[in-house]
Structure formats: structure tokens, C-alpha cells
Amino acid sequence: MFCYQCQETAKGTGCEIRGVCGKTEDVAKLQDLLIYTLKGIADIVQKGKLEVSELADINHELLRSLFMTITNANFDGDAIEAQIRKMLSLRDNLRAKASVQDLHDAAVFKVDTREEMLEKAAGVGVLATKNEDIRSLREMMIYGLKGMAAYSEHALNIGKENVDIYKFMYKALASTLDDSLSADDLVALVLETGKHGVMAMALLDEANTSKYGSPEISKVNIGVRKNPAILISGHDLTDLEQLLEQTKGTGVDVYTHSEMLPAHYYPFFKKYDHLAGNYGNAWWKQIDEFESFKGPILFTTNCIVPPRKDEIRDRIFTTGSAGYPGSKHIVADENGKKDFSEIIEMAKKLPPPEEIESGAIIGGFAHNQVLALADKVVDAVKSGAIKKFFVMAGCDGRMKSREYYTEFAKALPEDTVILTAGCAKYRYNKLGLGDIGGIPRVLDAGQCNDSYSLAVIAMKLQEVFGLDDINKLPIAFNIAWYEQKAVIVLLALLYLGIKNIHLGPTLPGFLSPNVGKVLVEKFGIAGIGTVEDDIKLFMEQ
Ligand code: FSO
Ligand code: SF4
């Protein structure tokens, strides 16, 4: 196996025996074959000039397939094998209908057994592209597509989709099979990926706010009550809605976990009294926190950490693109309805969660809420009360070097404000950093996709201050990344013209030296240094 798609990749260069995330060699290979199958479908769509708006089933399964291969989403080899079979059958039907000539092997290969799949996968993974720069660009694009697919799937679950996103996905996937494309062609496609990332995030923002209202300043309890409870993790708000409806009046409370925390900011969810609070911290702390939670856990997406004990695995349920071998997977019926009764019955028999923290945290600073406070914010900047904003969005992770972000937040001058989104926030959202004239010093916009909100805020401030360049704003970008949704967020920010982004705790292993050089020269991308040096550098910029 070879996988280097996330920040925790072995030695910073690639996992070759087993994933640091816990992904087995077989699962890694099956994921590679699934991606290869998608490339084959894209080849048929592109060469056959097929009308993408007429491919609804395939479009939706394309999102699902890409999402299943995101870091920490699906560890279940059987589920991935089943998805390969489904996509091969869709591919073969499409090919029969389209009758296109000169198709790539990805569009015609045949496999039958799991052994044949694994054998085929060995020759079509990341390392099949020999030139390291071309490989780097192809993979960066694919990782961007994975992030884009995740956001598009959440929007689709709310009934919103954009055919231009699917069209681009086919174009980009097919381009990774085309050996005639130069590095420059691929750089252009990578930037186009960012453009479509903005579209996907805007679509999801529209879907979320049209269904659940605009996030507003909210206080979220981080302590516990005395009732038995279910913990819901991941990013899908429609799953949360269904769970809350089904637990109404059962005596079972629901707590959010990790990236589900921002659900509390939406007006729609405030009517559920049994939505009791947020339990725990970023994804990687689940090993201990699931133990003390006591009740069942529902994963709607990543990030799953392979549980150390069977007892915990048996309390884990997955749905959507998530999966874990031995944990029960809940499938939607043809109307998208999911039956969570087994989880609710399990919760009733288990003890209530054990308290690990108490008090409350504040969030809900997505674009609408911040723009409602725009006068106050602009005044604070003009008067010098706020010197600088720091966008510290992205992900958290296990590496010790991520302590940098807590130290950085603590060391920032008191006239600065942190704009955050994603699970990166858990490194500094409980530090009690105070406020500036009533504006909290940590403004949480929401999930990682709500980084879009931060870009909207920046663009609005650019307009208010009458600046010709977004980079002249007093905003610095110090982003933490982990998995592929962060890749699409980064590409989206680059597309929006944002320069000098610092990316850590380490630069991606999938950047070849030459591709890394392009990012540095064209966009001023940099890594992180020491807290002291970086703060000095940012404040002088
Ligand atoms: Fe985090 Fe995991 Fe949201 Fe990611 S929980 S790391 S970028 O899945 O998606 O921020
Ligand atoms: Fe390694 Fe990350 Fe790939 Fe897992 S997702 S196998 S940790 S590079």
C-alpha cells in the first residue's frame, strides 16, 4: 500500500505497511481501486461527452465513493468492496449506452473476486504515476475532490446540488489519466479545483442556512446531565435532525461531539430540549472520551479512531459514508429516512455520561452573525482596539507539535482576534481568552466547511474598508490541516486570492519539492516556525 493523503502520514512521506490512522493494507488498496473505478467512469463521461445532468445516480454515488476514501471515514473493507462492485456495474452500463471508443483501462478493466481486486489495486494506486511532480499535482487535485465531495454530499442530503460541480469532478478525475497533460496544465486544474471548492462550500452554506437558519451567537453546555445519552459525531446535520426527532420524549439526551458542535449555533436545533450539550474535544481524544461517555455513539462521517476495546466498538454505529468493521451501519431507506431505534434502545440500558468538563463555550460567528456586528468590528479596527485577525481554521490531530497552536493562541497580543472553524478550534476554544469591547477573542464560525464563512467575512471587510486587494486587510492566515477537507479549504482560499497562508503543523507529504516551490513562489505558502518568531512575523506583515 502507499497513502500520503493526510498530515499524519508515516515519516511525513507515506504509509506503506499500515496507516498511522489504522487503515489496513487491504482497505487502502480497495480505496485505491475505488478511485481508479471513478476515474474510468469519468473517462467515459468525458470522451462520450455525456450530459452530466442526466447521470443523477452516478453523480450521487460518485460523491459517496469519494467520501468513503477520506481519512478516518471508512475502515470497512466489505463496505468498500461493495461500493467498488456498485460503481463497476454503473460504469459498465454507462459504457454500454455511451458506446465510446479508445477508453482507458480504468473504464474497461474487469475484476471478480476480492483477490483480483487487491491484485489490480496494486498497479493503479498513487505510485502508478512515476513522475513525482505529476503525481503530486494529480493527488492534490484528487484530495481536493474528496473534500469537495464531502461538502457536496451534505448539501445533497438537504436537497441541494450543483451540476457544475459534478461536471468538474469528471473533468478533473479524467485528467489524472491523461499523460499528455503538462505540469502547467495540472497546476491550472488544481486552481480550478479551488474554484469549485468555493462553489461546494457556498452550496453547503446555502443548504444549511436555508434549512436550519443562520448560525447565531450561542452558549453551549460542555457539562453533562443525569439522563442516558447518545453521542453524535461527524458533520451531517440531517442525521442529527433525524436523531433528535426520534429521541424526542424517550428520556434519552443527545450530545454533539467534535465537528458536530456547531449544530448548536443553528436556530433550528434550539427547540430540542434534549440536545444537552457538547461532550469532549477534537476527534483524536475519542479513545478516552468514548469510554467515559458510556452510551452509544453515532458517526455520521469521519473522524473515526479505531477503538481499542470491543466494548467501545460495540457502542459505535455508523451511517452515510462512514464505516467500521464490527460496528453496526445504519442505511437510509429510499426516502432518506434512517431508523435509529437500535441506538436509542441501547442508550436506555446504559449509564449516563460521566462528567469530564463543566461550564459552557460560545460560538456561532458565521458570516451573517459577524456581519450583523460589522459596525462594532469596523469601529474596533479603526480605533485600533483590534490590531489584527488571525484565521486559525482547519483540523486538530494527534501530533505533539500541534501544541504550537495552543501556545500561539495564548501568546497572541490582547488586541488580536482569532477567527476559527473546524476541529482545530479545540486547541484554544476553552482558554478563556476574553473579549475586546464585547467581541470575543475567539470567534468560531462552525465546521471546517464554514471556513467559507471566514472568506465571506474577509471579502466583506475588504469592501467596507475600500481595499483593492484582500491581502491588505489586517488578517493573517495560520491554518492547521489534517485531512482532505482541509485540502479543498486551502485550494479555495488560494482561488480567492489569499496569499501568505501558513500551513502546519507540517507541510503535506504529497507536495513534491517542485510543486511546493510553486506554492511558495506563487502564493507565499509557508510552514510554521516557533510561536515567538511567527507572531513577530505576522504582526509585522
Ligand atoms: Fe476535523 Fe476530522 Fe472537519 Fe476533518 S473531525 S479533521 S478537516 O474530519 O472535517 O475538521
Ligand atoms: Fe496514512 Fe493518513 Fe493515508 Fe491513513 S490516511 S494511511 S494515516 S496517509
Side-chain angles (χ1 to χ4, degrees), residues 163-392:
V163 76
D164 290 337
I165 294 176
Y166 300 128
K167 281 187 191 163
F168 177 74
M169 286 180 158
Y170 293 118
K171 173 176 156 183
L173 281 166
S175 78
T176 65
L177 298 173
D178 184 351
D179 290 332
S180 72
L181 294 179
S182 67
D184 284 346
D185 296 332
L186 290 170
V187 169
L189 276 163
V190 167
L191 287 182
E192 226 185 311
T193 310
K195 175 180 169 182
H196 290 81
V198 175
M199 286 161 66
M201 285 193 270
L203 181 74
L204 179 54
D205 184 76
E206 220 266 302
N208 282 338
T209 53
S210 63
K211 180 141 192 219
Y212 300 120
S214 285
E216 53 193 26
I217 305 180
S218 310
K219 224 178 186 182
V220 182
N221 168 39
I222 56 171
V224 297
R225 297 180 188 165
K226 295 199 164 45
N227 303 322
I230 298 168
L231 190 59
I232 178 166
S233 192
H235 304 69
D236 198 275
L237 298 179
T238 62
D239 288 331
L240 174 65
E241 181 187 347
Q242 295 197 41
L243 181 65
L244 286 167
E245 277 299 319
Q246 292 176 37
T247 40
K248 249 196 313 198
T250 60
V252 171
D253 284 339
V254 173
Y255 291 80
T256 55
H257 173 253
S258 192
E259 272 284 74
M260 200 55 93
L261 157 67
H264 295 271
Y265 311 156
Y266 289 90
F268 179 92
F269 293 109
K270 294 189 195 290
K271 63 178 181 251
Y272 297 102
D273 293 335
H274 62 299
L275 178 57
N278 187 71
Y279 190 87
N281 292 279
W283 63 272
W284 60 279
K285 291 202 166 170
Q286 65 188 251
I287 290 286
D288 296 324
E289 293 174 350
F290 286 0
E291 203 147 326
S292 57
F293 185 75
K294 311 282 188 209
I297 300 123
L298 173 63
F299 270 105
T300 66
T301 65
N302 53 341
C303 278
I304 302 173
V305 180
R308 271 195 233 119
K309 298 179 183 164
D310 289 352
E311 184 276 318
I312 295 193
R313 188 205 55 206
D314 295 344
R315 282 194 276 127
I316 290 179
F317 293 77
T318 61
T319 190
S321 300
Y324 193 78
S327 292
K328 172 101 193 243
H329 186 77
I330 295 172
V331 185
D333 69 14
E334 59 284 1
N335 302 314
K337 292 270 164 296
K338 294 178 181 177
D339 179 0
F340 294 134
S341 54
E342 195 178 331
I343 313 181
I344 300 167
E345 287 316 306
M346 179 187 277
K348 286 180 184 166
K349 293 190 201 99
L350 291 168
E354 194 179 298
E355 184 152 285
I356 50 171
E357 293 172 297
S358 60
I361 47 176
I362 291 180
F365 297 93
H367 55 94
N368 253 31
Q369 180 64 80
V370 175
L371 297 179
L373 297 172
D375 289 350
K376 220 173 165 178
V377 173
V378 170
D379 285 351
V381 174
K382 284 190 174 153
S383 72
I386 296 180
K387 283 261 154 43
K388 202 153 215 156
F389 294 94
F390 283 84
V391 172
M392 291 175 71

Side-chain angles (χ1 to χ4, degrees), residues 71 151 235 258-259 283 302-303 394-396 422-424 447-448 482-483 485-486:
T71 301
Y151 296 153
H235 304 69
S258 192
E259 272 284 74
W283 63 272
N302 53 341
C303 278
C395 324
D396 197 9
C423 60
Q447 297 179 335
C448 46
Y482 172 56
E483 45 92 325
K485 287 179 233 174

